[in-house]
């Protein structure tokens, strides 16, 4: 478990943020909603949920949270799912959209045709425990990724779960399945980050 200094915030301006809080609660980790600049200042790690990335961007600008978020995602651990992954991507296509550009991937929004808009699939993963159940809802597809990005799961050969430094991002919705391996992995990443920061501080 993570230490006392950890506070996980869940960005709560739009989308399925409550499902993430419930998933962490299952693992014994409390979270707090982040709606303002002050809320963000009080957390050490952040979840950016799925929803509608265009609507999220608009709301983030309106609240003034976008500037602080842009800084936060470059320094602190972040777990982004679906629309959250779109917001973090270096480049967004279909249509083009601005983003925080902290994750070195190109994503194509709504990349699975109408027939396949939403799907539940088993995806291949390098996480211990075998294939993962993945819920895709009007999901983006990661078309390209930079050398510092590691893929941890794939659908049809395209990465669907990636990690780059303190960022973990999924194009699907792990919070809507019952498998908690991905939320667990993020807690481990947060803990590692905390230990590193503490040892830097002591050095
Ligand atoms: N299609 C949405 C977007 O482009 C993302 C969908 C989701 O988060 N489930 O923002």
């Amino acid at each position: 478990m993570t230490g006392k200094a950890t506070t996980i915030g869940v960005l709560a301006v739009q989308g399925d943020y409550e499902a993430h809080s419930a998933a962490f609660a299952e693992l014994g980790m409390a979270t707090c909603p982040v709606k303002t600049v002050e809320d963000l200042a009080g957390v050490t790690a952040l979840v950016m949920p799925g929803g509608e990335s265009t609507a999220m961007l608009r709301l983030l600008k309106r609240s003034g949270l976008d500037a602080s978020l842009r800084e936060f995602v470059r320094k602190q651990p972040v777990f982004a799912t679906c629309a959250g992954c779109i917001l973090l991507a270096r480049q967004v296509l279909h249509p083009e959209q601005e983003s925080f550009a902290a994750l070195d991937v190109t994503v194509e929004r709504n990349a699975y045709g109408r027939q396949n808009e939403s799907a539940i699939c088993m995806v291949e993963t390098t996480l211990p425990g075998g294939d993962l159940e993945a819920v895709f809802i009007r999901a983006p597809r990661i078309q390209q990724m930079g050398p510092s990005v590691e893929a941890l799961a794939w659908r049809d050969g395209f990465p669907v779960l990636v990690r780059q430094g303190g960022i973990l991002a999924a194009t699907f919705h792990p919070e809507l399945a019952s498998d908690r391996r991905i939320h667990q992995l993020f807690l481990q990443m947060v803990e590692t980050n905390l230990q590193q920061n503490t040892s830097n501080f002591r050095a």
Side-chain angles (χ1 to χ4, degrees):
M1 264 291 99
T2 46
K4 278 210 172 94
T6 300
T7 310
I8 297 185
V10 181
L11 187 63
V13 296
Q14 196 269 342
D16 78 330
Y17 48 88
E18 281 174 355
H20 273 291
S21 301
F24 281 114
E26 278 173 32
L27 297 172
M29 175 56 76
T31 55
C32 53
V34 170
K35 294 182 185 204
T36 64
V37 173
E38 293 71 34
D39 294 339
L40 186 63
V43 304
T44 48
L46 185 71
V47 179
M48 295 173 71
E52 227 312 309
S53 57
T54 313
M56 275 186 206
L57 268 179
R58 205 169 40 237
L59 292 166
L60 290 171
K61 282 191 178 163
R62 196 183 295 167
S63 65
L65 199 47
D66 60 330
S68 335
L69 251 183
R70 189 170 287 274
E71 243 180 81
F72 188 98
V73 298
R74 284 170 169 71
K75 292 190 194 142
Q76 301 292 122
V78 179
F79 177 23
T81 56
C82 208
C85 175
I86 295 170
L87 291 183
L88 282 192
R90 181 178 50 74
Q91 188 183 25
V92 180
L93 306 174
H94 191 233
E96 282 187 24
Q97 180 167 277
E98 68 178 281
S99 59
F100 295 117
L103 176 64
D104 191 7
V105 298
T106 298
V107 294
E108 181 187 342
R109 294 175 65 196
N110 304 315
Y112 300 90
R114 277 206 158 268
Q115 296 288 329
N116 225 345
E117 231 170 40
S118 301
I120 301 179
C121 321
M122 293 308 286
V123 299
E124 194 190 332
T125 179
T126 51
L127 296 185
D131 290 359
L132 267 170
E133 187 185 47
V135 180
F136 292 88
I137 305 171
R138 294 176 56 76
R141 184 153 54 200
I142 295 175
Q143 302 288 22
Q144 277 177 0
M145 55 181 223
S148 54
V149 184
E150 179 193 8
L152 303 173
W154 299 261
R155 175 182 176 186
D156 302 333
F158 288 92
V160 294
L161 175 67
V162 298
R163 178 167 56 184
Q164 178 190 342
I167 296 177
L168 181 66
T171 61
F172 57 96
H173 287 264
E175 73 286 4
L176 298 182
S178 55
D179 191 324
R180 289 287 158 258
R181 277 180 285 168
I182 302 177
H183 287 76
Q184 189 76 59
L185 172 62
F186 185 62
L187 291 183
Q188 281 162 12
M189 288 169 60
V190 170
E191 189 173 14
T192 307
N193 180 70
L194 194 69
Q195 282 165 1
Q196 278 168 0
N197 284 349
T198 311
S199 53
N200 287 346
F201 181 68
R202 284 189 187 134

